[in-house]
Amino acid sequence: MTIAAAETLVTLLAAYAAIGALVALITVTIGAARIDPGARGMPLQARLLIFPGALLLWPLMLAKLITQKAPPVS
């Protein structure tokens, strides 16, 4: 692998992680309750457990956030 290819790979991974962090932050703060009504009132510790998975799987989480309608408030 050349140095240019390695730099490109690192740049792409950094971009993936940056976008993932943004989507994960949105998911943890407001998206969890939108996706699952049972997540309302979830403690911070539980939300922090969701963060790494949402960061790595951000394309799926973003699709879920975009397509999921807000659950009815009860």
Side-chain angles (χ1 to χ4, degrees):
M1 178 182 288
T2 65
I3 292 177
E7 288 175 351
T8 302
L9 181 62
V10 169
T11 302
L12 290 173
L13 287 174
Y16 187 90
I19 295 169
L22 180 64
V23 171
L25 188 62
I26 292 169
T27 300
V28 168
T29 56
I30 60 175
R34 184 174 177 183
I35 294 170
D36 181 13
R40 284 196 171 94
M42 187 186 324
L44 178 63
Q45 294 85 354
R47 291 179 185 264
L48 289 177
L49 288 173
I50 296 170
F51 189 84
L55 189 142
L56 293 175
L57 299 173
W58 72 263
L60 298 174
M61 296 306 299
L62 185 61
K64 188 73 168 176
L65 286 171
I66 290 171
T67 60
Q68 185 75 26
K69 294 182 179 178
V73 179
S74 52

